[in-house]
Amino acid sequence: MPPLDKRHCFSVHCPSRLLFDQIADKWSMMVLTVLDPGPARFNEIKRNLQGVTQKALTQCLRRLERNGLILRRVIPTSPVGVEYEITPLGRSLQGPFKALYIWTLQNLAEVDRARAEFDTRNGGGGSAAAKAA
Amino acid sequence: MPPLDKRHCFSVHCPSRLLFDQIADKWSMMVLTVLDPGPARFNEIKRNLQGVTQKALTQCLRRLERNGLILRRVIPTSPVGVEYEITPLGRSLQGPFKALYIWTLQNLAEVDRARAEFDTRNGGGGSAAAKAA
DNA sequence: CCGTATCCGATCCGATACTG
DNA sequence: CAGTATCGGATCGGATACGG
């Protein structure tokens, strides 16, 4: 794999641009993390993702399934059961995700400092809208 | 750094949850990549991010600045100039971002295959809405 | 040149209700 | 249990106009 070009230019049709949006969202990262130890049922996943709505989780799982990152298996029991499981492709994404997750943990403090300083410099004599961003 | 827990639970107040949303968006990744070789002016960045609007880029740069990932320096020339530069904190994020970028390049083909198969299984006899997701 | 302000359509998102 | 359907509010994002 080649290193990133100097002053890399991202064309509109750059494939990674489109893919990045699909896979790099908050819920997807969390779902892949929760499924890491093994398959899990819908509500089991939901319980581990505090605050996610049924709709958001369903959409997220569909997208993950469509992109080949997880597998959906229906268990024909009396009330229907569904199990979700990571695919090998999904596992290959855990490394990059974990790197990002660890970065957030390691640098959270410094980011907070930077934010406080920024808000003092700017929001100090102005609107509080800056913090809302 | 500890390994991720088994069946990791993401509480609502998990700091990495909030931070992830802020830093893992498409434009931020591209800006950090474009700034990698060295500082750049506003329109210089804009030219390298085909399709970004002035508003979106401004918002993105502000957020990056607020989070301490880039530095904004005003050059007092006749028409005002502004230079953006990566901070050490920003540089530390390039590694994780690059890992994700490389993943998209390496697995784009397989994701496309998975999508095609999914759309055949589902959208085959139904709505075309699935592809729009 | 580098923004901010405003408007407006598209989209997301949660809450709710309903089904096999 | 695991969804789908629908609706209204919030938010995003582009286009345009204007200011330092």
Side-chain angles (χ1 to χ4, degrees):
Chain A
M1 67 199 68
L4 300 178
D5 298 1
K6 286 240 156 197
R7 197 67 80 202
H8 190 81
C9 180
F10 289 95
S11 95
V12 180
H13 304 296
C14 176
S16 76
R17 266 178 66 158
L18 292 83
L19 195 47
F20 192 86
D21 259 7
Q22 290 256 329
I23 62 167
D25 68 293
K26 186 179 56 176
W27 295 129
S28 292
M29 181 205 62
M30 289 196 256
V31 167
L32 286 187
T33 305
V34 166
L35 288 183
D36 182 49
R41 303 276 295 266
F42 185 87
N43 281 331
E44 195 175 351
I45 299 172
K46 191 169 183 298
R47 270 190 299 275
N48 286 276
L49 266 54
Q50 265 195 27
V52 73
T53 61
Q54 193 184 43
K55 183 180 176 180
L57 182 54
T58 300
Q59 287 173 340
C60 179
L61 290 172
R62 283 288 171 285
R63 189 174 52 245
L64 287 171
E65 186 195 0
R66 185 167 114 93
N67 289 335
L69 302 177
I70 66 172
L71 197 82
R72 180 177 180 270
R73 182 174 29 252
V74 177
I75 309 167
T77 51
S78 58
V80 175
V82 180
E83 239 186 23
Y84 292 93
E85 184 181 5
I86 307 194
T87 62
L89 184 61
R91 291 226 172 265
S92 74
L93 186 54
Q94 286 181 325
F97 266 1
K98 187 168 173 177
L100 225 82
Y101 177 71
I102 290 173
W103 185 92
T104 63
L105 294 183
Q106 286 182 331
N107 297 280
L108 180 71
E110 191 164 348
V111 170
D112 274 343
R113 272 205 321 99
R115 281 186 196 173
E117 201 214 327
F118 180 92
D119 292 343
T120 302
R121 275 205 317 270
N122 300 277
S127 66
K131 295 177 189 174
Chain B
M1 65 200 70
L4 300 178
D5 298 0
K6 287 240 156 196
R7 198 66 80 200
H8 190 82
C9 181
F10 289 94
S11 95
V12 180
H13 305 295
C14 175
S16 76
R17 265 178 67 156
L18 292 85
L19 195 48
F20 192 87
D21 258 10
Q22 290 255 330
I23 61 167
D25 68 292
K26 185 178 57 174
W27 296 128
S28 292
M29 181 205 63
M30 289 197 259
V31 167
L32 286 187
T33 305
V34 167
L35 288 183
D36 181 49
R41 302 276 295 267
F42 185 87
N43 282 331
E44 194 176 352
I45 299 172
K46 191 168 184 296
R47 270 189 298 275
N48 285 275
L49 268 55
Q50 267 196 26
V52 73
T53 62
Q54 193 184 42
K55 182 182 177 181
L57 182 55
T58 299
Q59 285 173 341
C60 179
L61 290 171
R62 282 290 171 284
R63 189 174 52 245
L64 287 171
E65 185 195 1
R66 186 167 112 93
N67 290 334
L69 302 177
I70 65 172
L71 195 82
R72 179 177 181 272
R73 182 172 32 251
V74 177
I75 310 167
T77 49
S78 56
V80 174
V82 180
E83 238 187 23
Y84 293 92
E85 184 180 6
I86 306 192
T87 63
L89 184 61
R91 291 224 172 265
S92 74
L93 186 54
Q94 286 181 324
F97 267 1
K98 187 168 174 178
L100 225 83
Y101 177 70
I102 290 173
W103 185 93
T104 62
L105 294 183
Q106 286 182 332
N107 297 280
L108 180 71
E110 192 164 347
V111 170
D112 273 343
R113 270 204 322 100
R115 281 186 197 174
E117 201 212 327
F118 180 92
D119 292 343
T120 302
R121 274 205 318 273
N122 301 277
S127 66
K131 296 177 188 172

